[in-house]
């Protein structure tokens, strides 16, 4: 089934890209893709390659290691999935591609993209994630069925490798999705151990994220060839076009709750809205505080039970719940395309994370709104974010109904 919301056609005016790969192909038909893969690309809803895809797919097909820095919504997931599917040999009854992701939700989402784009290729893709029975994964991988692509979180994949259930000798491509997040969350040792079990020759490595801190480059040197292709969206282009950004000044931090409740009475929460907090404890407290005021919201974070996380994300995606409160777990690549409003209840700890968060709105060229709750002491942080991303964050007007109506017209 194609996705509910289809990507728009991008032009080179939308984003500026620095790349050491000169070839740019703006038509999927000219990429030499397998017939059934091309059918799946169009069936998925892709009509014209985005600027990132125009530059990234061909080096993947040519076997080059690739570092791809691009914001959510620019098509980077579809780019590496197309590259992987083109290189699969269906006559080989073994896992040939391994995709690592930092969260269960992102792993499952990537699995879905692989299956949808590869729907006419008769390939199998399996997600190995924490929070589920490892015995189920072992049974699936040892069943003799062809699992051509395995997606998973580093800890679970390493466990399956040690058990001998995940056989690595036929793998020819490794992809690290949201690579900087995996490094920041302490997955580096696990990633390196996974890499040690790969074949020593002929492995193609792909890393992608919206931001790459300095620590990331040490890891790439250890696992990549000496001359990877680099495709980098310029920093000033990382905040998505079409997102209006505002801040609301609080005289005291404890005024945030009342301000959030006030927004419930406006048109704001008639649109799918994500509220970000900096800790799991704050997320849980905020949901309880809203329930006490008879205001509805669902919550997700890394310590919630897997079933609860899946149920709450499903309710939000289907519109059963209009407000989702989350930690930064949701900011990283998890695709909730219908988000129109993002509220930073707490300003993020890093400037890079700000961009990840507001990227939940305005996806695929749609309009969106980001609202930041700040104390007067935090105004300087807002100015730093503005300068860092060459963007503009204004004090929110008293009446944002016109902006919200514009969102309705664009969706």
């Amino acid at each position: 089934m194609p996705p509910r919301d289809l990507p728009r056609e991008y032009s080179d005016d939308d984003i500026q890209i620095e790349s050491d790969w000169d070839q740019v192909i703006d038509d999927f038909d000219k990429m030499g893709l397998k017939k059934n893969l091309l059918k799946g690309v169009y069936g998925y809803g892709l009509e014209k390659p985005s600027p990132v895809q125009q530059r990234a797919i061909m080096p993947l097909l040519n076997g080059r290691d690739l570092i791809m820095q691009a914001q959510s919504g620019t098509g980077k997931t579809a780019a590496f999935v197309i590259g992987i599917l083109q290189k699969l040999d269906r006559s080989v009854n073994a896992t040939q591609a391994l995709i690592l992701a930092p969260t269960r939700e992102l792993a499952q989402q990537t699995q879905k993209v692989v299956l949808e784009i590869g729907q006419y290729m008769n390939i199998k893709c399996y997600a190995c994630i924490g929070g589920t029975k490892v015995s189920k994964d072992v049974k699936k991988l040892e069943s003799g069925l062809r699992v051509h692509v395995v997606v998973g979180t580093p800890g679970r994949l390493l466990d399956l490798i040690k058990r001998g259930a995940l056989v690595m000798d036929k793998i020819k491509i490794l992809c690290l999705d949201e690579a900087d997040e995996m490094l920041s969350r302490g997955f580096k040792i696990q990633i390196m151990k996974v890499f040690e079990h790969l074949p020593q020759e002929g492995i193609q490595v792909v890393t992608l994220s919206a931001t790459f801190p300095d620590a990331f480059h040490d890891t790439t040197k250890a696992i990549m060839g000496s001359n990877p292709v680099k495709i980098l969206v310029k920093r000033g282009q990382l905040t998505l076009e079409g997102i209006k950004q505002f801040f609301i000044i609080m005289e005291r931090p404890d005024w945030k709750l009342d301000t959030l409740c006030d927004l419930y009475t406006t048109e704001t929460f008639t649109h799918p809205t994500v509220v970000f907090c900096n800790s799991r404890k704050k997320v849980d407290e905020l949901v309880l505080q809203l329930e006490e005021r008879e205001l509805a919201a669902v919550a997700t974070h890394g310590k919630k039970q897997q079933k609860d996380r899946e149920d709450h994300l499903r309710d939000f995606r289907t519109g059963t719940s209009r407000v989702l409160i989350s930690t930064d777990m949701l900011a990283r690549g998890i695709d909730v395309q219908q988000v129109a409003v993002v509220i930073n209840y707490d300003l993020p700890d890093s400037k890079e994370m700000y961009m990840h968060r507001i990227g939940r709105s305005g996806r695929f060229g749609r309009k969106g709104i980001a609202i930041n709750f700040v104390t007067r002491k935090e105004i300087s942080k807002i100015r730093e974010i503005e300068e860092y991303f060459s963007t503009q964050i204004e004090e929110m007007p008293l009446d944002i109904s016109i902006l919200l109506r514009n969102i309705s017209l664009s969706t």
Side-chain angles (χ1 to χ4, degrees):
M1 295 291 292
R4 189 181 307 165
D5 300 304
L6 302 183
R8 65 167 175 163
E9 293 186 5
Y10 290 84
S11 70
D12 283 335
D13 293 333
D14 289 316
I15 58 175
Q16 298 176 25
I17 298 174
E18 295 178 351
S19 175
D20 51 8
W21 182 265
D22 295 332
Q23 188 180 27
V24 178
I25 299 183
D26 61 0
D27 189 335
F28 288 116
D29 288 328
K30 297 178 181 179
M31 293 182 178
L33 301 178
K34 299 172 183 175
K35 181 179 179 180
N36 284 339
L37 172 55
L38 190 61
K39 186 178 179 182
V41 167
Y42 290 131
Y44 183 67
L46 300 173
E47 298 178 4
K48 176 183 177 182
S50 71
V52 167
Q53 293 164 354
Q54 291 173 24
R55 294 159 176 83
I57 292 175
M58 292 312 296
L60 285 170
L61 301 187
N62 281 273
R64 295 290 299 276
D65 288 352
L66 178 65
I67 297 174
M68 185 170 18
Q69 177 190 358
Q71 165 66 326
S72 296
T74 55
K76 65 179 186 288
T77 300
F80 79 76
V81 168
I82 291 169
I84 286 173
L85 292 174
Q86 176 73 7
K87 296 174 76 67
L88 292 181
D89 183 351
R90 287 181 50 248
S91 68
V92 176
N93 187 18
T95 300
Q96 299 168 53
L98 188 62
I99 304 171
L100 275 65
T103 66
R104 307 167 192 171
E105 287 80 6
L106 183 55
Q108 291 172 317
Q109 176 180 296
T110 302
Q111 177 198 28
K112 182 179 178 182
V113 175
V114 172
L115 291 173
E116 288 181 347
I117 295 180
Q119 61 185 302
Y120 301 107
M121 298 180 67
N122 193 30
I123 60 97
K124 289 183 171 61
C125 176
Y126 186 67
C128 304
I129 57 176
T132 61
K133 291 183 178 180
V134 69
S135 58
K136 178 182 176 182
D137 293 344
V138 171
K139 183 177 179 180
K140 179 72 175 181
L141 295 174
E142 292 183 341
S143 64
L145 298 174
R146 295 176 181 173
V147 179
H148 304 95
V149 182
V150 171
V151 189
T153 48
R156 175 55 63 93
L157 290 176
L158 186 58
D159 186 7
L160 292 167
I161 291 169
K162 291 179 177 178
R163 292 171 183 261
L166 178 55
V167 179
M168 308 281 276
D169 60 351
K170 299 298 182 182
I171 290 178
K172 50 191 174 184
I173 185 166
L174 169 71
C175 180
L176 305 182
D177 197 0
E178 298 294 338
D180 61 333
E181 169 69 356
M182 286 196 283
L183 294 175
S184 67
R185 292 181 61 180
F187 289 135
K188 182 176 179 179
I189 294 175
Q190 293 173 327
I191 291 170
M192 296 307 297
K193 288 183 177 179
V194 169
F195 190 79
E196 289 173 1
H197 287 85
L198 291 168
Q200 296 301 304
E201 300 292 336
I203 289 294
Q204 184 179 4
V205 180
V206 180
T207 59
L208 60 150
S209 183
T211 56
F212 285 138
D214 292 340
F216 167 80
H217 297 288
D218 294 335
T219 302
T220 59
K221 290 177 182 178
I223 65 176
M224 286 184 149
S226 59
N227 189 30
V229 172
K230 296 179 181 178
I231 297 174
L232 312 175
V233 175
K234 291 184 178 180
R235 181 187 296 170
Q237 298 289 319
L238 289 176
T239 47
L240 291 177
E241 181 182 0
I243 301 176
K244 295 289 186 180
Q245 301 167 67
F246 301 101
F247 64 87
I248 303 176
I249 297 177
M250 315 283 161
E251 294 299 330
R252 292 168 21 194
D254 57 6
W255 286 10
K256 290 182 180 181
L257 177 60
D258 288 335
T259 304
L260 185 66
C261 293
D262 287 344
L263 289 174
Y264 268 84
T265 66
T266 71
E267 292 184 37
T268 305
F269 288 173
T270 60
H271 301 270
T273 301
V274 175
V275 180
F276 283 107
C277 300
N278 284 352
S279 69
R280 296 187 291 264
K281 180 180 179 182
K282 179 69 71 65
V283 168
D284 292 335
E285 288 177 349
L286 185 54
V287 171
L288 290 175
Q289 289 169 330
L290 292 172
E291 288 178 350
E292 290 173 356
R293 301 189 184 204
E294 298 184 348
L295 299 173
V298 293
T300 186
H301 57 64
K303 287 299 183 181
K304 282 193 170 292
Q305 293 293 320
Q306 181 68 15
K307 184 178 185 304
D308 290 339
R309 290 162 65 166
E310 292 173 353
D311 289 347
H312 290 173
L313 277 175
R314 184 189 64 247
D315 289 346
F316 186 66
R317 284 185 167 117
T318 59
T320 304
S321 299
R322 306 295 290 179
V323 180
L324 175 65
I325 302 174
S326 178
T327 59
D328 286 331
M329 180 192 78
L330 190 73
R332 288 290 190 155
I334 298 175
D335 196 2
V336 189
Q337 295 178 8
Q338 65 270 36
V339 174
V341 180
V342 167
I343 296 176
N344 285 320
Y345 195 83
D346 301 320
L347 281 182
D349 293 329
S350 70
K351 293 185 286 291
E352 289 83 4
M353 185 54 68
Y354 176 83
M355 180 272 300
H356 282 289
R357 287 183 179 184
I358 72 167
R360 298 301 92 206
S361 70
R363 290 181 61 78
F364 298 122
R366 292 181 167 192
K367 295 179 180 178
I369 289 178
I371 302 172
N372 300 283
F373 288 5
V374 298
T375 62
R376 293 198 178 277
K377 292 181 179 179
E378 292 176 315
I379 293 296
S380 60
K381 290 185 178 181
I382 290 292
R383 301 309 175 208
E384 289 173 3
I385 290 170
E386 284 183 314
E387 181 178 359
Y388 191 73
F389 291 113
S390 300
T391 189
Q392 188 172 3
I393 308 173
E394 303 172 351
E395 190 164 4
M396 197 175 84
L398 293 176
D399 185 3
I400 62 169
S401 58
I402 295 176
L403 292 167
L404 291 165
R405 291 190 193 109
N406 285 339
I407 291 178
S408 298
L409 292 173
S410 69
T411 57

